[in-house]
Amino acid sequence: MPTLTRRGLAAAAILAPLAPAVARAQSWPSGTIRIVAPFPPGGSVDALARLAQPMLERSLGATVIVENRAGAGGSVGANAVAKAAPDGNTWLFVFDTHAVNPSLLPNMPFDSLKDLDPVMLIGTAPMVLVTHPSQSYRTLAEVIQAGKERAGGVPYGTIGNGSLGHLAMTLLARRAATGFNHIPYRGGGPLINDALGGHVPLSIASVAVLAAHLTAGTLRPIVQTGAQRAATLPEVPTVAESGFPGFEAEAWWGVFAPAGTPAPVVARFREALAGAFREPATAKQLTETQQIKLLATGPDELRTFFASQMKIWGDVVRENSIKAS
């Protein structure tokens, strides 16, 4: 029988605690995989989950279901995942509200940093400030000047109170020393209906929500909020280019798992998901229809990004006493 050297014993001691996790990863998946989309069907998070679903089933050899658990800006579904067993059978797809909720909803029954492990930053997309063609606004400078001259500020609509669009416009108002009058809607559908009808002078939403209307010319873009101009909107300037260096507010989509999900399982799921999103037909759908810049990063990148988003928008919420409703 071979004699273990001191180095071999040390290596065995290091690897021993990893053995159960490796074993679980090798036997996973062992049941139905559940992807929780914490918003109603039809939204961007739901669309991403259902886009990946069939390819995940093929890649992992398991049944994958998408479960919509809507409520409280995505926190209801996130709470369900935070309290689920960390066995690799439950995953959470989120939108940018996930980084806002900890400051906007102080009584959430889970800790976003401690109870959920990062898996993947799927991608980002700029928001776009738009107006109805009947309005005279064509530049951000004109909007800012109107806000200074109009009592109560220029009205603008968003998908809801505390949404990223609301926070971005609040931050812009402070930096520009101007006035905006926020009109919150209950989602993108009602917002777009009023924007198309000319009932609200300005609207801000993700480019994914607005893309078809920008292409059709039924809404006119004024400025976009990304760090650089989106490839699909090369003629539309950014806020940073328009006199506010460093200004950036991008919608984003990510994936989390219950805290303690074995790292090898997370790695295997992330690899399968990245492969699904990089399939040519799927990638085209993401970049052209959803207007998302595909990143498909690993957990470390999402962890850093998520912490920065919580800090930026948490400060805006607190400094401006923004409430969920």
Side-chain angles (χ1 to χ4, degrees), residues 104-125:
L104 192 67
L105 307 170
N107 296 318
M108 286 198 311
F110 68 99
D111 187 306
S112 298
L113 293 174
K114 295 179 180 179
D115 297 333
L116 292 166
D117 285 345
V119 176
M120 174 194 287
L121 176 58
I122 298 172
T124 61

Side-chain angles (χ1 to χ4, degrees), residues 32-108:
T32 298
I33 295 173
R34 179 175 59 136
I35 295 175
V36 175
F39 297 96
S44 63
V45 174
D46 177 72
L48 287 176
R50 295 186 188 280
L51 194 61
Q53 178 188 19
M55 285 169 284
L56 285 173
E57 287 188 327
R58 185 172 68 243
S59 176
L60 297 173
T63 298
V64 178
I65 62 171
V66 177
E67 179 181 323
N68 297 95
R69 294 285 295 269
S75 65
V76 171
N79 180 53
V81 175
K83 290 178 167 51
D87 55 9
N89 289 338
T90 305
W91 307 86
L92 174 69
F93 278 38
V94 301
F95 188 49
D96 49 56
T97 55
H98 189 63
V100 178
N101 286 339
S103 53
L104 192 67
L105 307 170
N107 296 318
M108 286 198 311

Side-chain angles (χ1 to χ4, degrees), residues 56-244:
L56 285 173
E57 287 188 327
R58 185 172 68 243
S59 176
L60 297 173
T63 298
V64 178
I65 62 171
V66 177
E67 179 181 323
N68 297 95
R69 294 285 295 269
S75 65
V76 171
N79 180 53
V81 175
K83 290 178 167 51
D87 55 9
N89 289 338
T90 305
W91 307 86
L92 174 69
F93 278 38
V94 301
F95 188 49
D96 49 56
T97 55
H98 189 63
V100 178
N101 286 339
S103 53
L104 192 67
L105 307 170
N107 296 318
M108 286 198 311
F110 68 99
D111 187 306
S112 298
L113 293 174
K114 295 179 180 179
D115 297 333
L116 292 166
D117 285 345
V119 176
M120 174 194 287
L121 176 58
I122 298 172
T124 61
M127 291 183 295
V128 186
L129 181 65
V130 301
T131 187
H132 189 271
S134 64
Q135 295 287 329
S136 62
Y137 306 119
R138 293 188 177 275
T139 68
L140 180 59
E142 291 173 351
V143 171
I144 290 171
Q145 187 58 37
K148 293 178 179 180
E149 296 172 353
R150 180 168 177 167
V154 179
Y156 74 97
T158 73
I159 63 170
N161 214 48
S163 64
L164 189 62
H166 179 200
L167 301 185
M169 291 296 283
T170 300
L171 180 60
L172 179 59
R174 287 176 67 97
R175 289 191 60 177
T178 191
F180 295 129
N181 179 16
H182 181 222
I183 301 175
Y185 287 81
R186 292 186 178 274
L191 169 64
I192 295 302
N193 286 340
D194 267 15
L196 293 173
H199 304 305
V200 58
L202 299 169
S203 302
I204 185 169
S206 164
V207 66
V209 173
L210 299 168
H213 309 292
L214 296 176
T215 300
T218 48
L219 291 173
R220 183 171 65 236
I222 295 173
V223 72
Q224 55 181 305
T225 65
Q228 295 89 29
R229 296 188 187 193
T232 54
L233 297 170
E235 304 303 319
V236 181
T238 66
V239 174
E241 290 177 285
S242 304
F244 301 92

Side-chain angles (χ1 to χ4, degrees), residues 9-20 22:
L9 288 169
I14 292 172
L15 293 173
L18 301 178
V22 173

